[in-house]
Amino acid sequence: MTAVPLNETHDPARKSWVESANDPAGDFPIQNLPLGIFSCGSEDAPRPGIAIGDQILDLVEAHKLGLLPNSLPEEAVHSSSLNALISLGQPALSQLRRHVGEVLDAHQSGEGVRSHATRLLHEMSACKLHRPTSISNYTDFYAGIYHAIAAGAQLTPDDPLPTNYKWVPIAYHGRASSVQVSGAMVRRPLGQRPPKSRGEAPGFGPCERLDFELEIGFYVGTGNPQGTSVQIGSASKQIAGFSLLNDWSARDIQRWEMFPLGPFLSKSFATTVSPWIVTAEALLPFRVPALARRADEPNPLPYLFDSEDQESGAFDIGLRVLLSTEKMRERGDLAVEILNSNSRHLYWTPAQMVAHHTVNGCNLLPGDLIGTGTISGPTNAELGSMLELTVGGQQPINLPNGERRTFLLEGDEVTLQGRCERTGFASIGFGSCAATIVASP
Ligand code: CA
């Protein structure tokens, strides 16, 4: 673990006067302070907030009370998306984090601040959480090498890991309009299914192999002008923060449509993100070296290589996927964990993804969403999709109540969770990224 520029906002001893934030099992202690968009009640305008314990700090009210940095432009806070705020870049987000940390600190904040608690805080469970940014572009990478190997064995058995894989961070352009926030239903897509045998017509109807993909998403902060490239050494500064991302996938539609131009309708019907953006600064204590490459693997090309990125450009985020079926909920059974994984298994770092994405002069915009690709690990318990867990639908998974699944059925609720833990630091979490499957129209 290399030295990273930590500050008082990471101090594990720091406590908040918001009592629920001091629960060590919680996702949102004072060391986290993730950004989101929320509203309370149907008449209420969506606006920026920061999660603290089981509460949301209202940034509009905090701004009115003069509790935020003076340099923060009003339009960055009075907005229904985080685009203007995160476009200010990491130094501005860092300053905001310091100020909010002081406002919520049990020892630093005065009675004056706390007397405004009812104005500043809202019960998270009573609020609606919205998509955090207005997303102009969504790109999904394919940086989970264990997923690429396992999924490739199902989809392209003759060439499971493409020959370009260890040279090029592979990605496709996803659909920004159908990115939805945790809690929104996912409708089973209709589409063409592969012919049963060679020469026959394809089938058509509801997808029969509906799947999830466990991923991390990250949001672009300042962005870059068209015609310019973001250098690898500064690429991590382009990232405002991270969330969980479920890239819903219709495997039958995908298998039939994806050659030669990649996935299209098999992915574009829905992508679910968790509502909170955990800032790059909050994640500093959990940075780890990039995945080690074996001696027989190529070094990244110079535009993808930076020694600091190699030393600390990856992230140690523990990930899990929970499944709850309709029958389980009817009987009051808890959701069951069907896999766990970790973002350390990614072959490319987020900075490498940004450098690669822009090397041709492509412009990233504030609020753009970038997915890492499915994050599987090397063992059978760490496979990041049903496709892999069930070996292409051949080996169903058995649930504790006797139900079995190859792919997802109506009423199934899939929940992604992420949590960072390191000795000497406060644990932080991402909240939930959950959605339930409903039938095709
Ligand atoms: Ca994906």
Side-chain angles (χ1 to χ4, degrees), residues 140-141 172 213 215 247 267 373-374:
D140 197 23
F141 276 86
Y172 69 96
E213 289 192 338
E215 304 194 17
D247 175 25
K267 303 275 193 174
T374 310

PDB file of all heavy atoms in Angstrom, residues 140-141 172 213 215 247 267 373-374, ligand 1:
ATOM      1  N   ASP A 140     -19.435   1.448 -21.308  1.00  0.00           N
ATOM      2  CA  ASP A 140     -19.179   0.299 -20.437  1.00  0.00           C
ATOM      3  C   ASP A 140     -17.935  -0.443 -20.910  1.00  0.00           C
ATOM      4  O   ASP A 140     -17.869  -0.905 -22.045  1.00  0.00           O
ATOM      5  CB  ASP A 140     -20.394  -0.637 -20.436  1.00  0.00           C
ATOM      6  CG  ASP A 140     -20.357  -1.592 -19.256  1.00  0.00           C
ATOM      7  OD1 ASP A 140     -19.690  -1.275 -18.248  1.00  0.00           O
ATOM      8  OD2 ASP A 140     -20.999  -2.657 -19.336  1.00  0.00           O
ATOM      9  N   PHE A 141     -16.945  -0.519 -20.012  1.00  0.00           N
ATOM     10  CA  PHE A 141     -15.716  -1.253 -20.329  1.00  0.00           C
ATOM     11  C   PHE A 141     -15.908  -2.752 -20.080  1.00  0.00           C
ATOM     12  O   PHE A 141     -17.015  -3.208 -19.703  1.00  0.00           O
ATOM     13  CB  PHE A 141     -14.545  -0.683 -19.505  1.00  0.00           C
ATOM     14  CG  PHE A 141     -13.933   0.531 -20.151  1.00  0.00           C
ATOM     15  CD1 PHE A 141     -14.448   1.806 -19.927  1.00  0.00           C
ATOM     16  CD2 PHE A 141     -12.861   0.396 -21.024  1.00  0.00           C
ATOM     17  CE1 PHE A 141     -13.907   2.908 -20.543  1.00  0.00           C
ATOM     18  CE2 PHE A 141     -12.307   1.506 -21.647  1.00  0.00           C
ATOM     19  CZ  PHE A 141     -12.828   2.765 -21.408  1.00  0.00           C
ATOM     20  N   TYR A 172     -17.792  -0.672 -24.995  1.00  0.00           N
ATOM     21  CA  TYR A 172     -18.806  -0.329 -25.994  1.00  0.00           C
ATOM     22  C   TYR A 172     -19.561   0.884 -25.472  1.00  0.00           C
ATOM     23  O   TYR A 172     -19.551   1.171 -24.274  1.00  0.00           O
ATOM     24  CB  TYR A 172     -19.766  -1.504 -26.261  1.00  0.00           C
ATOM     25  CG  TYR A 172     -20.687  -1.824 -25.108  1.00  0.00           C
ATOM     26  CD1 TYR A 172     -21.984  -1.304 -25.066  1.00  0.00           C
ATOM     27  CD2 TYR A 172     -20.267  -2.622 -24.054  1.00  0.00           C
ATOM     28  CE1 TYR A 172     -22.828  -1.585 -23.999  1.00  0.00           C
ATOM     29  CE2 TYR A 172     -21.102  -2.909 -22.995  1.00  0.00           C
ATOM     30  CZ  TYR A 172     -22.374  -2.385 -22.968  1.00  0.00           C
ATOM     31  OH  TYR A 172     -23.200  -2.655 -21.906  1.00  0.00           O
ATOM     32  N   GLU A 213     -25.175  -7.864 -14.248  1.00  0.00           N
ATOM     33  CA  GLU A 213     -23.712  -7.809 -14.242  1.00  0.00           C
ATOM     34  C   GLU A 213     -23.269  -6.907 -13.098  1.00  0.00           C
ATOM     35  O   GLU A 213     -23.695  -5.749 -13.002  1.00  0.00           O
ATOM     36  CB  GLU A 213     -23.167  -7.291 -15.584  1.00  0.00           C
ATOM     37  CG  GLU A 213     -23.354  -8.306 -16.717  1.00  0.00           C
ATOM     38  CD  GLU A 213     -22.585  -7.971 -17.987  1.00  0.00           C
ATOM     39  OE1 GLU A 213     -22.231  -6.786 -18.180  1.00  0.00           O
ATOM     40  OE2 GLU A 213     -22.341  -8.904 -18.775  1.00  0.00           O
ATOM     41  N   GLU A 215     -20.952  -4.507 -11.433  1.00  0.00           N
ATOM     42  CA  GLU A 215     -19.921  -3.576 -11.900  1.00  0.00           C
ATOM     43  C   GLU A 215     -19.804  -2.382 -10.953  1.00  0.00           C
ATOM     44  O   GLU A 215     -20.685  -2.112 -10.140  1.00  0.00           O
ATOM     45  CB  GLU A 215     -20.266  -3.021 -13.298  1.00  0.00           C
ATOM     46  CG  GLU A 215     -20.485  -4.098 -14.341  1.00  0.00           C
ATOM     47  CD  GLU A 215     -20.495  -3.570 -15.769  1.00  0.00           C
ATOM     48  OE1 GLU A 215     -20.018  -2.433 -15.993  1.00  0.00           O
ATOM     49  OE2 GLU A 215     -20.979  -4.304 -16.650  1.00  0.00           O
ATOM     50  N   ASP A 247     -25.322  -3.762 -15.007  1.00  0.00           N
ATOM     51  CA  ASP A 247     -25.527  -3.725 -16.461  1.00  0.00           C
ATOM     52  C   ASP A 247     -26.404  -4.925 -16.840  1.00  0.00           C
ATOM     53  O   ASP A 247     -25.907  -5.990 -17.193  1.00  0.00           O
ATOM     54  CB  ASP A 247     -24.151  -3.792 -17.149  1.00  0.00           C
ATOM     55  CG  ASP A 247     -24.247  -3.871 -18.663  1.00  0.00           C
ATOM     56  OD1 ASP A 247     -25.256  -3.409 -19.216  1.00  0.00           O
ATOM     57  OD2 ASP A 247     -23.302  -4.396 -19.281  1.00  0.00           O
ATOM     58  N   LYS A 267     -28.550  -4.858 -24.052  1.00  0.00           N
ATOM     59  CA  LYS A 267     -28.055  -4.095 -22.906  1.00  0.00           C
ATOM     60  C   LYS A 267     -28.803  -2.774 -22.724  1.00  0.00           C
ATOM     61  O   LYS A 267     -28.825  -2.225 -21.626  1.00  0.00           O
ATOM     62  CB  LYS A 267     -26.573  -3.750 -23.113  1.00  0.00           C
ATOM     63  CG  LYS A 267     -25.655  -4.943 -23.344  1.00  0.00           C
ATOM     64  CD  LYS A 267     -25.223  -5.536 -22.030  1.00  0.00           C
ATOM     65  CE  LYS A 267     -24.054  -6.511 -22.226  1.00  0.00           C
ATOM     66  NZ  LYS A 267     -23.532  -6.975 -20.943  1.00  0.00           N
ATOM     67  N   GLY A 373     -17.154  -2.807 -16.368  1.00  0.00           N
ATOM     68  CA  GLY A 373     -17.315  -4.182 -16.834  1.00  0.00           C
ATOM     69  C   GLY A 373     -17.513  -5.090 -15.627  1.00  0.00           C
ATOM     70  O   GLY A 373     -17.195  -4.713 -14.488  1.00  0.00           O
ATOM     71  N   THR A 374     -18.054  -6.255 -15.905  1.00  0.00           N
ATOM     72  CA  THR A 374     -18.402  -7.193 -14.835  1.00  0.00           C
ATOM     73  C   THR A 374     -17.173  -7.612 -14.049  1.00  0.00           C
ATOM     74  O   THR A 374     -16.151  -7.974 -14.627  1.00  0.00           O
ATOM     75  CB  THR A 374     -19.057  -8.448 -15.440  1.00  0.00           C
ATOM     76  OG1 THR A 374     -20.091  -8.018 -16.313  1.00  0.00           O
ATOM     77  CG2 THR A 374     -19.633  -9.335 -14.355  1.00  0.00           C
TER      78      THR A 374
HETATM   79 CA    CA B   1     -21.155  -4.927 -18.801  1.00  0.00          CA
END
